[in-house]
């Protein structure tokens, strides 16, 4: 079992698909992960399971991998896996990052409507996409991701696979932005929208993993002193940025919401 | 636990814990005090004191240290402290100013407020929140509430 606890989860699931199903029962969503480089032992440790749940999970995985082995069933309550995950009360630093996610999620939630309804050949359509890219670059990346990369992740082991995965996601997201800028210059609507959609898919999954797994795990790991340090460092990082640009980003999401709503209402009127 | 059966303020109602504390494990040895300063009463402390500068500060209600068995090891260790009673102390407006000064002048890193579960003790958290509200700097504040018999009932960040 030691061997598989130290094996990347993708390899484990490929060899034993049932393990993926067992993990899903514990709300551990490794099956759709594109990288799957996290070690099985880290995945079990990071998910804030109760001791009973963790014992039961390991037992079931071991039974799946070694069905012939006589593995003693540990003493745990049968209902362990049905126990609700412990309530999470975030520290103010993690809460700040989650609040920032809420605004980013608002924008990426509007992307399908934008793709469907906005004509990027028009000046206003092109401006909307450019403003959207500014939002991604300044708010999602400089304002939010930079706090993670330059500050928060320094309080973790950067060699952990989950951290590497998050950093790789940031780089992939930056690649989508660059591709969109190039395509927009050429008026290549298809490529712009393909990358915008890919960005949406990437960030949706990325934020979900951070909100549900990474942030709660970091929050449990950091001390009160470290919360204070992070709080100060986040404030200092924000002070270095142009407040007007951040406010513009916040306003942008509101404007897109209103614009999409207006387009939908107009469409309804036409179809009447 | 036996109760006197009398109503009134839960903060001053008589309760007898003698039966509950019987049979506790007796440990040998001498434990090191984790207190690293004097004075500790909030009226007497000075935010200019070196041990407050950029420190993690524990603002504890007077009764807390008597109820929590491992107060020194689990809560006082590594922190600078101030104590107060939000029910009986006079001049509490000065408390707000002093906590504000700890935040702005001593530039403390965090503030942990430990209170008893009795309703009147919540006033200490209110003092800390008011001080933070009026301070120029912002810092994280944690509230820990303990039961009359020293169990931690809640521990959460309030700002």
């Amino acid at each position: 079992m030691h061997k598989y606890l130290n094996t990347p989860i993708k390899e484990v699931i490929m060899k034993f698909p049932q393990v993926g199903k067992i993990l899903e029962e514990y709300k551990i969503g490794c099956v759709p992960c594109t990288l799957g480089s996290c070690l099985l032992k880290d995945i079990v440790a990071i998910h804030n399971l109760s001791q009973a749940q963790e014992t039961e999970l390991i037992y079931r995985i071991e039974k799946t991998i070694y069905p012939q082995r006589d593995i003693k069933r540990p003493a745990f309550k049968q209902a362990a896996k049905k126990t609700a995950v412990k309530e999470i009360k975030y520290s103010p630093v993690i809460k700040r990052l989650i609040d920032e996610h809420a605004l980013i999620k608002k924008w990426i939630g509007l992307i399908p409507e934008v793709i469907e309804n906005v004509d990027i050949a028009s000046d206003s359509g092109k401006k909307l996409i450019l403003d959207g890219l500014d939002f991604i670059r300044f708010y999602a990346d400089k304002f939010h991701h930079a706090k993670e990369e330059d500050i928060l992740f320094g309080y973790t082991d950067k060699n952990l696979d989950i951290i590497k995965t998050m950093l790789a996601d940031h780089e992939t997201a930056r690649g989508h932005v660059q591709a969109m800028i190039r395509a927009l210059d050429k008026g290549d609507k298809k490529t712009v929208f393909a990358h915008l959609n890919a960005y949406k898919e990437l960030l949706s999954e990325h934020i979900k993993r951070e909100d549900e797994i990474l942030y709660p795990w970091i929050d449990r790991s950091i001390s009160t002193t470290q919360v204070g340090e992070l709080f100060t460092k986040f404030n200092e990082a924000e002070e270095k940025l142009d407040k007007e640009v951040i406010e513009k980003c916040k306003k942008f999401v509101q404007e897109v919401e209103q614009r999409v709503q207006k387009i939908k209402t107009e469409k309804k009127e036409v179809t009447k | 636990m036996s109760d006197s059966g009398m109503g009134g303020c839960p903060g001053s109602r008589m309760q007898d814990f003698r039966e509950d504390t019987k049979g506790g494990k007796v440990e040998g040895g001498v434990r090191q005090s984790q207190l690293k300063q004097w004075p500790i009463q909030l009226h007497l402390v000075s935010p200019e004191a070196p041990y407050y500068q950029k420190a993690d500060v524990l603002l504890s209600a007077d009764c807390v240290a008597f109820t929590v068995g491992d107060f020194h090891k689990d809560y006082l260790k590594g922190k600078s402290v101030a104590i107060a009673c939000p029910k009986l102390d006079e001049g509490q407006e000065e408390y707000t100013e002093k906590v504000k000064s700890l935040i702005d002048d001593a530039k403390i890193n965090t503030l942990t407020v430990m209170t008893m579960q009795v309703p009147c003790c919540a006033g200490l958290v209110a003092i800390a929140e008011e001080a933070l509200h009026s301070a120029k700097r912002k810092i994280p504040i944690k509230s820990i509430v303990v039961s009359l018999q020293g169990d931690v009932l809640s521990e959460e960040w309030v700002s």
Side-chain angles (χ1 to χ4, degrees), chain A residues 7 19 29 59 75 98 105 107 116 138 141 149 158 218 256-257 259 266 272:
Chain A
T7 302
V19 171
Y59 166 76
I98 287 174
K105 281 197 285 189
W107 161 228
E116 198 186 322
F138 292 108
D141 207 20
E149 292 183 7
K158 282 192 175 178
I218 291 176
V256 180
E257 267 181 321
R259 187 162 168 184
E266 282 169 1
K272 266 184 190 172

Side-chain angles (χ1 to χ4, degrees), chain B residues 79-98:
Chain B
K79 292 192 177 73
S80 298
V81 70
I83 63 166
C85 175
K87 181 172 181 169
L88 301 174
D89 291 353
E90 291 181 352
Q92 294 196 22
E93 59 287 352
E94 289 168 33
Y95 283 169
T96 308
E97 280 305 306
K98 199 158 272 187

Side-chain angles (χ1 to χ4, degrees), chain B residues 54-70:
Chain B
K54 297 186 177 177
D56 293 301
V57 172
L58 174 65
L59 177 59
S60 175
D62 290 349
C63 303
V64 168
F66 294 97
T67 61
V68 180
D70 284 321

Side-chain angles (χ1 to χ4, degrees), chain A residues 153-252:
Chain A
F153 290 171
Y155 285 74
T156 67
D157 178 356
K158 282 192 175 178
N159 293 316
L160 278 175
D161 286 302
I162 189 161
I163 301 294
K164 285 182 190 167
T165 305
M166 294 301 123
L167 291 171
D169 283 352
H170 292 174
E171 284 306 318
T172 309
R174 285 165 194 146
H176 286 310
V177 171
Q178 291 310 314
M180 276 187 268
I181 291 169
R182 287 193 298 271
L184 203 57
D185 279 345
K186 293 176 195 160
D188 181 354
K189 178 179 171 176
K190 202 177 154 193
T191 306
V192 171
F193 285 166
H195 282 283
L196 195 54
N197 197 47
Y199 178 84
K200 173 193 155 289
E201 296 294 327
L202 176 79
L203 259 282
S204 301
E205 190 57 34
H206 178 86
I207 288 174
K208 190 171 183 289
R209 271 182 289 180
E210 287 189 332
D211 283 356
E212 294 177 8
I213 303 165
L214 183 65
Y215 287 169
W217 173 69
I218 291 176
D219 220 19
R220 292 194 302 276
S221 315
I222 53 178
S223 65
T224 297
T225 304
Q226 288 172 324
V227 169
E229 287 170 9
L230 285 162
F231 192 88
T232 303
K233 287 177 184 175
F234 279 10
N235 286 348
E236 286 167 358
E238 285 181 13
E239 276 162 20
K240 285 179 195 160
L241 296 173
D242 188 339
K243 281 190 182 65
E244 274 183 29
V245 174
I246 301 306
E247 283 309 309
K248 196 183 149 199
C249 288
K250 289 178 183 172
K251 214 172 148 197
F252 160 77

